[in-house]
Amino acid sequence: MSVMLDKLAAQESKRVIGDAELAERAERLSDQYLDGRAHPNSVRWVTNQNTRWGSCTPAEGSIRLSHRLQGMPEYVVDYVLLHELAHLLVPGHGPGFWRLLEAYPRTERAKGYLEGVVGAERLPHLPGARGE
């Protein structure tokens, strides 16, 4: 039974959500962690961000998340989304910005996950590794 539940949990974490659900998550995260103060006008996936996980244009109220996040654990996507929501309130990455993210309990774990992904992408691909 637990094997089946683990498989279902793994499938759920890989489920790709659409832009509308992403916008709903942004609203929920803003309410939960930013006292509902961040109000993006648009939240969407993009395929042209290969060096950033997300970006925000505060003047337009737009948030874009890299398609590379699709299939990553939900808490990682939520962290990146919350990070961009915080930029609607505080530009830059100063102390005031990071204070906003302290409320999210998985900030450090999500940052570590993303650092691991970046590190793995930089590893040399050796012949014979990963079934090649």
Side-chain angles (χ1 to χ4, degrees):
M1 181 69 162
S2 70
V3 172
M4 187 184 310
L5 291 175
D6 289 344
K7 286 183 179 181
L8 286 171
Q11 285 177 340
E12 178 66 20
S13 72
K14 290 184 167 87
R15 187 174 64 90
V16 176
I17 64 170
D19 290 349
E21 190 174 340
L22 202 58
E24 290 171 13
R25 280 171 79 172
E27 186 176 323
R28 187 182 76 243
L29 289 166
S30 176
D31 289 345
Q32 189 171 356
Y33 297 107
L34 302 172
D35 298 321
R37 294 181 295 142
H39 302 284
N41 292 322
S42 70
V43 182
R44 60 191 172 95
W45 296 107
V46 295
T47 58
N48 64 351
Q49 290 189 13
N50 294 313
T51 59
R52 295 175 160 194
W53 297 113
S55 63
C56 170
T57 306
E60 297 173 5
S62 62
I63 291 175
R64 295 159 306 282
L65 296 188
S66 173
H67 72 286
R68 297 180 310 138
L69 290 165
Q70 293 175 335
M72 288 190 188
E74 191 172 289
Y75 75 93
V76 175
V77 176
D78 283 352
Y79 162 73
V80 176
L81 193 48
L82 189 59
H83 183 109
E84 300 309 330
L85 286 165
H87 278 308
L88 292 177
L89 305 174
V90 177
H93 293 103
F97 172 82
W98 291 110
R99 268 194 298 282
L100 290 175
L101 292 179
E102 285 175 358
Y104 185 62
R106 292 183 152 189
T107 290
E108 290 306 316
R109 184 173 179 191
K111 286 169 61 177
Y113 184 100
L114 294 171
E115 288 170 5
V117 169
V118 170
E121 289 172 351
R122 292 183 180 151
L123 291 175
H125 298 288
L126 301 175
R130 292 190 274 161
E132 293 175 0

